[in-house]
Amino acid sequence: MTDRILIIGAYGQIGTELTLALKRKYGPANVIATDIRIPDHLSDEDDSCLYLDVLNRRALDLAVNKYQITQIYLLAAVLSVSGEQQPLKAWELNMQGLLNVLESARENFIARVFWPSSIAVFGHHAPKKPCPQHTVLQPSTAYGISKAAGEDWCQYYFHKFDVDVRSLRFPGLISSSALPGGGATDYAVDIFHHAVRNESYTCYLKASATLPMMYMADAVRAVLELMEAPAAQLTVHTAYNISGMSFTPTQLAASIKKRIPGFKINYKPDSRQSIAESWPTSIDDRFARKDWGWEPEYDLDSMTDQMLLNLRHSIPELQV
Ligand SMILES: NC(=O)c1ccc[n+]([C@@H]2O[C@H](COP(=O)([O-])OP(=O)(O)OC[C@H]3O[C@@H](n4cnc5c(N)ncnc54)[C@H](O)[C@@H]3O)[C@@H](O)[C@H]2O)c1
């Protein structure tokens, strides 16, 4: 049977690139991209793009049945910084959205579910360098609390109801196609938008704030590879640690300066610094490497090259 894919939250930072990759893999007609925010340019020409609120369980079941869905990718969430402004909204969307998808998957015999977790599940008490797969989870943000609880629910549905739900603890993701949605690592995308316009950048983290990061092409490939892996090989049913690279704002700025010598950065740390301080600085991803062969491709310099190239091609005012 052909796989039929439902993506929920398809027009955010990850969904923009993951949707394209899934359309390439399964064929555009087999991928239903949904969100509560449909970009204007898509609504007329793309009939596989639908309004779907993941909090509406009935609408979710209707979509699953109407399109004979076999796999669900749930990307809708309130992220770390936005979650600190609206903690109960973060809990409601991140938790009820996941439970709606897990219940729908159970009742409708969905073959596979993907739901991303985050390095925000770790808190001050987890080892920082590198942070192991199995360790204490005492998250310090509402977002992290929702992700840690979500991981436990995924494991519960796997063992109790045989729902094949798979998850990754993403680090900060860096991409050129869509702007990030309110996380503590957003600086690593914003900085490139300033650099290509020859503007200086004021960073809201300290110069020395090391964080784990990943280029989006690696993140999308990780999702595809995890979802393709034979079930018998998977030993982690909460969420896999995966690692890409780790760097400070100073190191990222230096990589940009090698390519744009006049680029300047200054620092004005705000409340986002305390979120960053509660997260690990590097990630031990040996379970992902052993179970399904994970290996990142991009390092800091190759990611910088790709980001600058992509943004120069995609920002209209840079074309003249
Ligand atoms: N981007 C990162 O750096 C990062 C890192 C770790 C984990 N993650 C996780 O990956 C997932 C996707 O992240 P992202 O960066 O693409 O987020 P994003 O905020 O860019 O996109 C989320 C999308 O969900 C949609 N949405 C919001 N409420 C919805 C609802 N009720 N029903 C349906 N759609 C709704 C939004 O309109 C948005 O397009 C999230 O679970 C996030 O926690 C992201």
Side-chain angles (χ1 to χ4, degrees):
M1 188 172 99
T2 317
D3 271 304
R4 303 266 303 160
I5 313 295
L6 180 68
I7 310 171
I8 303 170
Y11 296 109
Q13 193 196 5
I14 299 181
T16 302
E17 295 196 31
L18 182 60
T19 300
L20 287 176
L22 289 168
K23 284 185 174 177
R24 272 195 298 272
K25 182 171 162 63
Y26 293 100
N30 292 315
V31 176
I32 309 298
T34 74
D35 205 301
I36 53 168
R37 208 179 40 146
I38 308 290
D40 291 343
H41 65 282
L42 285 179
S43 41
D44 293 338
E45 65 203 46
D46 190 344
D47 60 3
S48 67
C49 133
L50 295 178
Y51 179 94
L52 177 66
D53 181 347
V54 71
L55 295 177
N56 184 340
R57 173 69 204 285
R58 196 175 124 71
L60 172 61
D61 281 343
L62 282 173
V64 163
N65 289 307
K66 179 172 176 192
Y67 298 102
Q68 300 176 309
I69 295 301
T70 62
Q71 293 189 21
I72 302 179
Y73 293 70
L74 170 58
L75 305 176
V78 174
L79 272 61
S80 60
V81 173
S82 314
E84 291 311 280
Q85 284 145 16
Q86 295 181 289
L88 297 186
K89 167 78 187 156
W91 179 256
E92 185 198 13
L93 176 58
N94 299 1
M95 219 26 34
Q96 196 55 52
L98 174 61
L99 289 171
N100 282 354
V101 167
L102 291 173
E103 270 298 283
S104 185
R106 178 175 77 85
E107 286 181 4
N108 296 297
F109 304 103
I110 296 295
R112 248 163 231 189
V113 175
F114 177 76
W115 170 80
S117 184
S118 160
I119 58 163
V121 294
F122 304 115
H124 288 290
H125 297 290
K128 288 227 179 288
K129 192 185 168 184
C131 189
Q133 174 70 49
H134 298 294
T135 186
V136 58
L137 303 187
Q138 286 181 8
S140 62
T141 57
Y143 173 68
I145 293 171
S146 72
K147 291 294 185 187
E151 288 190 4
D152 286 342
W153 277 116
C154 287
Q155 180 166 252
Y156 181 84
Y157 269 74
F158 173 79
H159 287 305
K160 182 101 179 172
F161 301 123
D162 275 339
V163 173
D164 186 353
V165 49
R166 303 178 179 198
S167 182
L168 298 169
R169 288 173 179 153
F170 279 134
L173 299 179
I174 300 169
S175 67
S176 53
S177 320
L179 289 171
T185 53
D186 291 4
Y187 93 86
V189 176
D190 297 340
I191 193 170
F192 284 104
H193 286 262
H194 285 71
V196 289
R197 292 178 168 89
N198 295 317
E199 295 166 359
S200 62
Y201 182 68
T202 302
C203 183
Y204 57 76
L205 296 183
K206 287 184 185 165
S208 59
T210 306
L211 283 172
M213 300 277 187
M214 183 175 285
Y215 187 53
M216 189 62 84
D218 272 344
V220 165
R221 186 171 52 81
V223 176
L224 299 184
E225 289 178 5
L226 175 66
M227 292 300 273
E228 273 166 14
Q233 282 175 214
L234 304 183
T235 61
V236 173
H237 299 291
T238 49
Y240 278 95
N241 277 9
I242 49 165
S243 174
M245 58 190 103
S246 286
F247 55 77
T248 63
T250 310
Q251 288 166 327
L252 177 55
S255 179
I256 294 173
K257 267 188 217 175
K258 276 194 242 163
R259 289 139 182 102
I260 304 176
F263 177 67
K264 287 198 173 51
I265 184 165
N266 47 67
Y267 298 92
K268 206 175 162 193
D270 65 20
S271 59
R272 289 169 278 190
Q273 173 63 28
S274 63
I275 297 179
E277 274 166 20
S278 72
W279 293 351
T281 57
S282 67
I283 300 293
D284 177 346
D285 60 1
R286 72 184 67 184
F287 283 80
R289 287 174 185 263
K290 184 171 145 294
D291 288 2
W292 48 278
W294 167 245
E295 204 165 328
E297 195 181 315
Y298 285 85
D299 62 13
L300 176 55
D301 280 325
S302 54
M303 184 264 298
T304 300
D305 280 334
Q306 204 56 51
M307 281 295 287
L308 294 175
L309 184 74
N310 293 351
L311 287 177
R312 283 181 176 132
H313 279 97
S314 64
I315 298 178
E317 69 257 33
L318 300 178
Q319 307 303 310
V320 285

